[in-house]
Amino acid sequence: MDEQLVNNLKQQIIDELNLEEVKPEDIDASAPLFGDGGLGLDSIDALELIILVEKHYGLKITDPKKGKEIFQSVNTMAEYIKANQK
Amino acid sequence: MKAYIQCCTSISHHATFGIDVPLADCLPAVAPQEEGDTLPAIDPNYKELIDDANMRRRMSHIIKMGVATSIHCINKSGCGQPEAIITATGMGGMADTEKFLNCIIDNHEQMLNPTNFIQSTGNTFGGQTGLLNHCHNYNVTYVHGGFSLESALTDALLQMEEEDIGNALVAAADEITPTEQDVMRRLGFWRNGNKMGEGAQAFLIGCKPQIDSLATITYPRMMRGPLTAQELDTQIDSLLADNNLTDKDIDVVLTGAEHDPEMETKVEDRFARHLNYKQWCGQYFTASSFGVWLAANMLKQQLLTDGQSWEPTKMKNILVYTETLKDNYTLMLLQAAFDKPHTCHQYSCQ
């Protein structure tokens, strides 16, 4: 896993979603982003994450089914970006 | 129609938020000269009032101020859920609006963040108060410039008169941002005496008196400019006559004038005592809510400032006169809730 990319993503998620009380080291990169046991994000955050990936990495996610897989965790986001970024 | 202000809360430039804060402790007898162009609000610990972290992190300053005062007011009043939540704002979520508009420009109308768009609308703090209070009753927001609070109060009073509701939360909030401040200055707004301000006040009003009611309030008078001195006099005459009062019955007029010194002088000359309430809260579209909060607490605590200190003073009737941008003029009459006012040491300003 690209540690630098994972750390950047953690910071970008904190900034974009305004997670005031969360630090990058608090985020478990393999924990689920949505629902219980992780950051507890919701559907509005999902839209913010789609914009984050497009804005920072130039990748447009159009297939909702793919989104579910991509945004499972910070690690899955990093994997998708690594595999698709030109 | 008279309604009773059962409870009120305030976030302002002074330490007006909290439980049991006597008026003499939370407001200086005369506002000190301060550096800078604005009077920013003092924020309470929002975590204690809005415990849902997911909700809180999306809230801009105006929403936090509006929700915090509203929730605190509902909790303090002990009403559980108000029968209506009626909110007022002159400009709504300016910080979110600015972020969203900047995003449109920066990202060439692509990749627009949904949160700022959703939160920028004027009705957000009323809606979120309803969500946090699990209150599904009537929920409406008035965005009517310098008539916003007055319109919200009118709505609540009309519904009480029709016996549709027995109580209502009426709340007002506005925030300042550096961009708004700059634009307003360039347009020539807010250029007279008082500084730009921000804040939020919430009032739980009901149609029946309670032992701890602060004051009564009647239908506000709203007048569009340009206004002549004669028209203003006629409105004051009519308001006083409707309440069986004469000029001598008004113990003090709280004035919130901005651009119309002629009309301000007219009001001040007509009554024996007057006090500029915007010295404490600054100028903004819903500043009259601070005037109402101050009048209610002055009546409850029977305290009046002489410019040196807050002194016990017997008062029954306070008139709140507000002028916004020489376009919106309002009059609100507050009266002591009881014929024999309680002594000031028994009650707090909150």
Side-chain angles (χ1 to χ4, degrees), chain A residues 17-18 21 42 45 48 51, chain B residues 56-58 112-113 115:
Chain A
L17 304 186
N18 198 21
E21 293 140 40
D42 59 26
D45 296 316
E48 296 280 6
I51 291 163
Chain B
R56 198 173 58 242
R57 71 182 159 88
R58 292 200 178 104
L112 305 177
N113 297 68
T115 303

Side-chain angles (χ1 to χ4, degrees), chain B residues 179-247:
Chain B
T179 308
E180 183 200 354
Q181 198 184 331
D182 184 42
V183 170
M184 288 294 202
R185 193 177 294 115
R186 279 159 52 196
L187 288 172
F189 290 179
W190 318 133
R191 62 187 157 192
N192 292 11
N194 299 309
K195 295 180 177 185
M196 276 183 74
E198 63 179 357
Q201 281 75 37
F203 307 91
L204 198 291
I205 62 171
C207 50
K208 290 179 183 164
Q210 290 179 354
I211 184 70
D212 50 357
S213 297
L214 285 96
T216 65
I217 190 161
T218 57
Y219 283 112
R221 295 294 171 106
M222 292 174 261
M223 299 148 277
R224 291 304 298 260
L227 193 71
T228 64
Q230 196 181 355
E231 285 168 334
L232 180 62
D233 265 341
T234 306
Q235 285 292 335
I236 295 172
D237 290 343
S238 157
L239 178 62
L240 297 185
D242 284 354
N243 292 279
N244 301 316
L245 299 173
T246 64
D247 287 13

Side-chain angles (χ1 to χ4, degrees), chain A residues 16-21 39-42 44-45 47-48 51 54-55 60, chain B residues 47 53-54 56-59 64 103 107 110-116 118:
Chain A
E16 296 288 339
L17 304 186
N18 198 21
L19 302 172
E20 297 166 332
E21 293 140 40
L39 284 177
L41 304 184
D42 59 26
I44 298 173
D45 296 316
L47 293 170
E48 296 280 6
I51 291 163
E54 189 173 351
K55 197 156 77 178
K60 205 166 190 165
Chain B
K47 276 189 205 172
N54 263 348
R56 198 173 58 242
R57 71 182 159 88
R58 292 200 178 104
M59 290 180 175
K64 282 181 184 166
C103 191
N107 298 343
Q110 303 290 314
M111 297 178 287
L112 305 177
N113 297 68
T115 303
N116 300 138
I118 295 165

Side-chain angles (χ1 to χ4, degrees), chain B residues 43 50 115 123 138 199 215 231 254 270 285 291 317 321 339 350:
Chain B
D43 291 316
I50 308 160
T115 303
N123 59 355
Y138 182 87
E231 285 168 334
L254 298 186
R270 181 167 172 166
F285 283 99
N317 305 297
Y321 161 76
D339 285 340
Q350 285 285 318

